[in-house]
Amino acid sequence: MARKSNLATKTQTSSAGKSSLQPASTARDSMKEISDIRRFYLTFPIRNAVRAELTWTHYRLLLKVERQEARNFYMLESINNNRSTRELERQINSLLYERLALSIATRTASRTRKS
């Protein structure tokens, strides 16, 4: 009885019309994954800072946020409001943190002028 491989495979069709199985991940994909894991370790060096409510995909999206304050905002926003990774990605791409910070700064400035 043949053992099943745990490696994901994909079917490729050659020009001769024959199909062959190829590993789904390439060396480039593996290097990208290792790079993401390294950035994760450097960004979240304290193990207790990692939240069980978030998935690896959430963390991969959070790693793209450069500013720590913004990253913490998006992390808490995702946890408190049970955000999916698609919602988190949409919030990051729409610069929600920056827009809210600007809105608060504008309100504070207008209150200061009135006083």
Side-chain angles (χ1 to χ4, degrees):
M1 183 168 162
R3 282 179 42 189
K4 257 187 164 176
S5 173
N6 289 335
L7 294 175
T9 57
K10 63 181 177 181
T11 304
Q12 290 184 342
T13 305
S14 67
S15 58
K18 296 182 180 181
S19 63
S20 63
L21 294 177
Q22 300 292 325
S25 64
T26 62
R28 185 182 68 209
D29 293 338
S30 297
M31 292 304 294
K32 172 74 172 110
E33 187 74 15
I34 290 170
S35 173
D36 286 346
I37 292 168
R38 182 177 183 277
R39 283 190 311 143
F40 176 80
Y41 175 76
L42 294 174
T43 305
F44 301 98
I46 302 170
R47 197 177 95 201
N48 295 337
V50 177
R51 305 292 296 263
E53 299 93 342
L54 300 177
T55 65
W56 173 240
T57 306
H58 281 97
Y59 280 109
R60 286 181 59 192
L61 291 169
L62 290 168
L63 289 173
K64 295 177 183 179
V65 179
E66 292 182 19
R67 294 181 49 208
Q68 183 177 354
E69 305 87 31
R71 189 172 39 252
N72 289 337
F73 168 81
Y74 290 120
M75 184 177 2
L76 292 174
E77 177 73 17
S78 294
I79 292 167
N80 294 337
N81 297 304
N82 198 26
R83 301 282 189 223
S84 69
T85 54
R86 285 183 185 215
E87 291 171 306
L88 173 60
E89 184 174 32
R90 184 183 55 76
Q91 289 178 340
I92 292 170
N93 290 338
S94 70
L95 303 173
L96 176 64
Y97 174 78
E98 289 77 2
R99 288 185 294 120
L100 287 176
L102 181 62
S103 173
I104 292 169
T106 303
R107 252 187 277 150
T108 304
S110 68
R111 285 183 188 155
T112 305
R113 280 185 248 147
K114 289 179 183 178
S115 298

